[in-house]
Amino acid sequence: DIVLTQSPALAVSLGQRATISCKTNQNVDYYGNSYMHWYQQKPGQQPKLLIYLASNLASGIPARFSGRGSGTDFTLTIDPVEADDTATYYCQQSRNLPWTFGGGTKLELK
Amino acid sequence: QVQLQQSGAELVKPGSSVKISCKASGYTFTSYDMHWIKQQPGNGLEWIGWIYPGNGNTKYNQKFNGKATLTADKSSSTAYMQLSSLTSEDSAVYFCARGETQGGFFDYWGQGVMVTVSS
């Protein structure tokens, strides 16, 4: 299985930039696409898709969110951070079965 | 608008089975995979498997072979997951999520079903 590693927590100030990383133990690129996706989950809610195929903004997601990366290293950036962004963020790969998720990064405000 | 409405919370006894549902609306049910994802309290997300309602084909995470069985009813646009031989390790929230076939990501999620296994 592909293992995705995320830092457990990140604290940033309102209006600043948050950069959340996700590293994989295998390459998730295939024929020009990076099969890496990002989700936001708030307590008691279902996850919400933010970014798909590494850098594509999902429908209805503000442009403050962006994703980049390839191969084994990926980042989700939130700039500027707003109070409503406090949540846990998960990366997910769909390069190889079984699909797997990172352990999540909890974003908190300083 | 796309909606996935899941059934209510379940309290079940060890060794028993439970079947939870996910009713889809707002899109063509038979044209998208339906995935199931497990989240244990305070833990991350674990992919269980998918079903393609158009033809009933399924694919499971090997870890859940024999534990989860996925089915779908085209007439009611409802997907089901049955969990068998339940133990405390199966206590979790279970989400259904629509899968985008080409990219392998989950663009719409149900609200989740809490399954508690306790005697």
Side-chain angles (χ1 to χ4, degrees), chain B residues 2 10 12 23 26 29 42 52 59 64 69-70 80 84 95 115-116:
Chain B
V2 174
E10 300 273 2
V12 293
K23 183 170 176 58
F29 179 63
Y52 184 67
K59 187 72 176 179
F64 292 92
T69 303
L70 306 183
Y80 298 92
S84 60
F95 296 99
V115 174
T116 304

Side-chain angles (χ1 to χ4, degrees), chain A residues 22-33:
Chain A
C22 177
K23 297 184 188 299
T24 65
N25 67 345
Q26 296 179 41
N27 192 320
V28 298
D29 292 351
Y30 189 69
Y31 279 100
N33 284 318

Side-chain angles (χ1 to χ4, degrees), chain A residues 10-18 78-83 85-86 107-110:
Chain A
L10 177 66
V12 298
S13 302
L14 274 175
Q16 298 303 301
R17 174 185 299 171
I78 311 169
D79 190 11
V81 167
E82 297 184 357
D85 298 334
T86 54
L107 180 65
E108 298 171 326
L109 295 179
K110 283 182 184 175

Side-chain angles (χ1 to χ4, degrees), chain A residues 9-54:
Chain A
L10 177 66
V12 298
S13 302
L14 274 175
Q16 298 303 301
R17 174 185 299 171
T19 302
I20 298 170
S21 71
C22 177
K23 297 184 188 299
T24 65
N25 67 345
Q26 296 179 41
N27 192 320
V28 298
D29 292 351
Y30 189 69
Y31 279 100
N33 284 318
S34 295
Y35 287 85
M36 178 60 70
H37 323 293
W38 291 93
Y39 302 86
Q40 176 193 66
Q41 186 180 32
K42 297 180 179 180
Q45 296 186 17
Q46 67 269 51
K48 177 195 297 185
L49 177 68
L50 299 175
I51 300 287
Y52 62 93
L53 296 173

Side-chain angles (χ1 to χ4, degrees), chain A residues 41-74:
Chain A
Q41 186 180 32
K42 297 180 179 180
Q45 296 186 17
Q46 67 269 51
K48 177 195 297 185
L49 177 68
L50 299 175
I51 300 287
Y52 62 93
L53 296 173
S55 60
N56 297 278
L57 198 64
S59 176
I61 302 302
R64 302 184 292 103
F65 292 87
S66 63
R68 63 179 297 170
S70 65
T72 61
D73 284 275
F74 297 87

Side-chain angles (χ1 to χ4, degrees), chain B residues 31-48:
Chain B
S31 297
Y32 290 82
D33 299 329
M34 187 69 78
H35 295 252
W36 292 85
I37 294 108
K38 177 182 181 181
Q39 186 169 38
Q40 288 178 295
N43 284 5
L45 302 159
E46 199 168 15
W47 176 75
I48 296 170

